[in-house]
Amino acid sequence: MYIYQTMSNNFGYIDIILLAMIAGFIILRLRNILGRKTGHQSKPFDPFSHSKFERFKKENLEKKKSNSDVLEAEQKKEFLKGAELAYESIVVSFAAGDQKKLSSLLSEEMKNNFDNAIAQRKKDNIKSELTFIGIKQTNLEKYEKIKNDLFATVKIVAEIISVKKDINNKIISGDPDKIKTVTDHWKFTKNVFSKNPNWYLAEILGK
């Protein structure tokens, strides 16, 4: 009986030791698998780190600048397209003496100048004939704001056939068989508070 009891006690101690060894082995394995850093692992990403924030801010600024450049280029392209249409309409209407059409394209001062020129031409019995061939080049040379008005100066290179005739239909200037290249600098204007999107010819500048 004593021997059996002693052996039972020894087996109890051995069981505890074995369980402790097994637990220690499991903990050691878990530590090896989960807890050890090898040196080849990437550092955890910190979205609020200074360097990453600066890079993010720079990328966004560059993106905004790029979008702004695209928008500005598109606006400039549309404006020059409008300037080309206005130029053709004005020179053709002036040659034909169409004051009604001119009034919708000119500032008040320019309207008076064109009206006076047309009246003088009629008084001198001069007939103006113009064939518009096309625009070769346009360039926005200056853009400024003065008080509440915007001003845009455009260089326009166009091709036309222009002839002036007297009362007897005799050519006094120009050549009906020759295309002439003309270069003009026109200043267009628009009030910043105007709901009308149209620009008006405000001045014809010297070359």
Side-chain angles (χ1 to χ4, degrees), residues 30-67:
L30 288 173
R31 182 175 179 275
N32 288 338
I33 294 171
L34 301 176
R36 179 178 296 175
K37 293 186 178 180
T38 63
H40 298 289
Q41 294 166 311
S42 59
K43 294 181 179 180
F45 174 71
D46 178 10
F48 301 103
S49 68
H50 179 73
S51 61
K52 288 183 174 61
F53 175 76
E54 289 298 320
R55 186 178 67 186
F56 175 78
K57 183 169 70 172
K58 182 179 178 182
E59 288 173 353
N60 275 268
L61 286 173
E62 289 175 350
K63 185 177 180 181
K64 287 180 181 179
K65 183 178 178 182
S66 175
N67 290 340

Side-chain angles (χ1 to χ4, degrees), residues 98-108 111 115 200:
D98 189 345
Q99 292 169 281
K100 183 178 180 180
K101 191 167 186 179
L102 285 170
S103 65
S104 64
L105 299 167
L106 307 173
S107 68
E108 195 61 33
K111 180 180 179 297
D115 286 345
Y200 301 92

Side-chain angles (χ1 to χ4, degrees), residues 1 9 17 22 35 44 47 53-54 61 76 86 91 94 103 111 129 140 151 166 173 175 181 189 191 199:
M1 181 71 178
N9 290 337
I17 292 171
I22 292 170
F53 175 76
E54 289 298 320
L61 286 173
K76 181 179 177 181
V91 296
F94 175 65
S103 65
K111 180 180 179 297
E129 296 179 355
L140 181 59
F151 293 93
D166 63 14
S173 68
D175 186 341
T181 299
T189 188
N191 188 278
W199 290 70

Side-chain angles (χ1 to χ4, degrees), residues 66-183:
S66 175
N67 290 340
S68 176
D69 289 343
V70 170
L71 181 61
E72 185 178 339
E74 285 299 315
Q75 290 174 333
K76 181 179 177 181
K77 183 179 177 181
E78 286 299 313
F79 174 80
L80 289 176
K81 183 179 179 181
E84 291 174 6
L85 293 173
Y87 180 87
E88 178 181 356
S89 186
I90 289 170
V91 296
V92 171
S93 298
F94 175 65
D98 189 345
Q99 292 169 281
K100 183 178 180 180
K101 191 167 186 179
L102 285 170
S103 65
S104 64
L105 299 167
L106 307 173
S107 68
E108 195 61 33
E109 183 179 353
M110 288 301 291
K111 180 180 179 297
N112 292 333
N113 292 340
F114 274 66
D115 286 345
N116 291 336
I118 292 171
Q120 186 63 48
R121 194 172 64 200
K122 288 179 179 178
K123 182 180 178 180
D124 296 337
N125 292 313
I126 295 175
K127 181 182 179 182
S128 177
E129 296 179 355
L130 184 138
T131 302
F132 188 83
I133 305 301
I135 300 286
K136 292 184 68 176
Q137 177 190 346
T138 54
N139 184 48
L140 181 59
E141 295 198 326
K142 190 175 183 180
Y143 185 83
E144 58 188 336
K145 180 177 179 291
I146 301 175
K147 294 183 179 179
N148 294 326
D149 294 315
L150 300 174
F151 293 93
T153 302
V154 181
K155 177 183 177 182
I156 303 170
V157 182
E159 291 182 327
I160 62 172
I161 297 174
S162 178
V163 177
K164 288 182 180 179
K165 297 179 180 180
D166 63 14
I167 194 171
N168 298 315
N169 215 33
K170 181 181 177 180
I171 295 174
I172 56 178
S173 68
D175 186 341
D177 300 317
K178 184 178 180 180
I179 296 175
K180 182 171 66 173
T181 299
V182 294
T183 301

